[in-house]
């Protein structure tokens, strides 16, 4: 497993080693020993979603004490995955990082606590799986509107985005009083 840093401290790209032969392929999608060499995290829950092309989910986060570290992967299809740094004392506060995650490239994004996270489906459908280190708590659920003008996220849109009614009501980055 190869773990690469991004320009945002703590945000990591995880690339499993793929073993291919004439039968197909095999890889370890998660190896605690490998990840423990870089970060200390204990995952407690796996989540999975299936979405259609153009769906944007996010930008979500949970406020402390229920903030979540996530390890995201796309097991079918292709997504643009986005993480926004909400850590008040970070050099990259308010900056975002995006990466294409797909069933073809098998890359994963490790997102520590203190980030808003979201993704857009680029393929006809996509199944996204992610591990979290804290259980979901509806009272700590929060987020930032996907098209915030100050964040200026390039979602690589080629069709009109599809969002939940909840995600359409999220606040702007300027309105956010970051709890991190």
């Amino acid at each position: 497993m190869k773990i690469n840093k991004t320009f945002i401290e703590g945000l990591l790209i995880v690339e499993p080693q793929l073993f291919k032969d004439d039968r197909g392929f095999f890889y370890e999608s998660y190896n605690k020993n490998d990840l423990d060499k870089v970060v200390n995290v204990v995952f407690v829950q796996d989540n999975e979603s299936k979405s259609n092309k153009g769906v944007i989910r996010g930008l979500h986060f949970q406020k402390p004490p229920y903030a979540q570290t996530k390890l995201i992967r796309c097991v079918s299809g292709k997504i643009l995955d986005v993480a926004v740094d909400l850590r008040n004392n970070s050099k990259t506060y308010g900056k975002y990082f995006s990466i294409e995650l797909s069933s073809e490239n098998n890359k994963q994004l490790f997102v520590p606590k203190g980030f808003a996270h979201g993704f857009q489906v680029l393929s006809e459908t996509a199944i996204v799986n992610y591990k979290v280190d804290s259980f979901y708590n509806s009272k700590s659920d929060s987020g930032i509107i996907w098209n915030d003008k100050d964040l200026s996220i390039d979602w690589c849109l080629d069709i009109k985005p599809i969002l939940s009614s909840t995600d359409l009501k999220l606040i702007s980055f300027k309105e956010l009083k970051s709890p991190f």
Side-chain angles (χ1 to χ4, degrees):
M1 186 173 285
K2 194 162 88 176
I3 300 173
N4 299 308
K5 295 179 181 180
T6 67
F7 75 94
I8 298 178
E9 186 178 335
L11 198 61
L12 306 170
I13 300 167
V14 179
E15 295 185 65
Q17 184 178 3
L18 195 66
F19 300 95
K20 288 184 178 183
D21 62 24
D22 57 348
R23 300 169 296 161
F25 69 85
F26 169 85
Y27 70 91
E28 291 178 347
S29 61
Y30 172 70
N31 184 307
K32 181 168 175 31
N33 290 334
D34 287 347
L35 205 54
D36 279 353
K37 294 174 186 171
V38 182
V39 293
N40 183 15
V41 63
V42 176
F43 292 114
V44 297
Q45 181 177 314
D46 279 6
N47 300 318
E48 188 166 287
S49 68
K50 180 179 181 183
S51 306
N52 298 322
K53 184 172 182 151
V55 166
I56 293 178
R57 293 185 184 261
L59 298 160
H60 304 142
F61 64 93
Q62 286 201 159
K63 298 177 210 165
Y66 302 101
Q68 294 177 323
T69 296
K70 299 177 180 178
L71 181 61
I72 300 110
R73 69 187 183 115
C74 184
V75 296
S76 175
K78 178 171 46 170
I79 64 169
L80 179 71
D81 205 50
V82 177
V84 179
D85 191 349
L86 302 180
R87 300 169 298 175
N88 290 308
N89 297 324
S90 171
K91 296 182 293 190
T92 51
Y93 174 77
K95 302 289 184 205
Y96 78 91
F97 175 83
S98 64
I99 185 171
E100 187 176 291
L101 304 179
S102 73
S103 54
E104 294 295 315
N105 69 21
N106 301 301
K107 291 180 181 179
Q108 301 176 50
L109 187 62
F110 178 87
V111 182
K113 291 172 176 60
F115 285 77
H117 172 260
F119 65 86
Q120 184 211 173
V121 178
L122 302 173
S123 52
E124 288 306 308
T125 62
I127 297 175
V128 175
N129 179 281
Y130 59 100
K131 297 180 172 309
V132 293
D133 71 340
S134 179
F135 295 106
Y136 175 77
N137 181 287
S138 60
K139 292 178 182 165
S140 76
D141 203 19
S142 193
I144 302 167
I145 191 74
W146 72 279
N147 60 350
D148 183 272
K149 63 181 170 95
D150 293 310
L151 295 177
S152 298
I153 296 170
D154 181 2
W155 287 97
C156 304
L157 292 170
D158 63 353
I159 63 172
K160 184 179 178 191
I162 303 163
L163 290 103
S164 71
S165 58
T166 303
D167 285 356
L168 286 170
K169 296 175 190 168
L170 293 174
I171 63 173
S172 72
F173 181 69
K174 278 189 177 172
E175 293 173 288
L176 177 71
K177 291 178 176 61
S178 180
F180 300 104

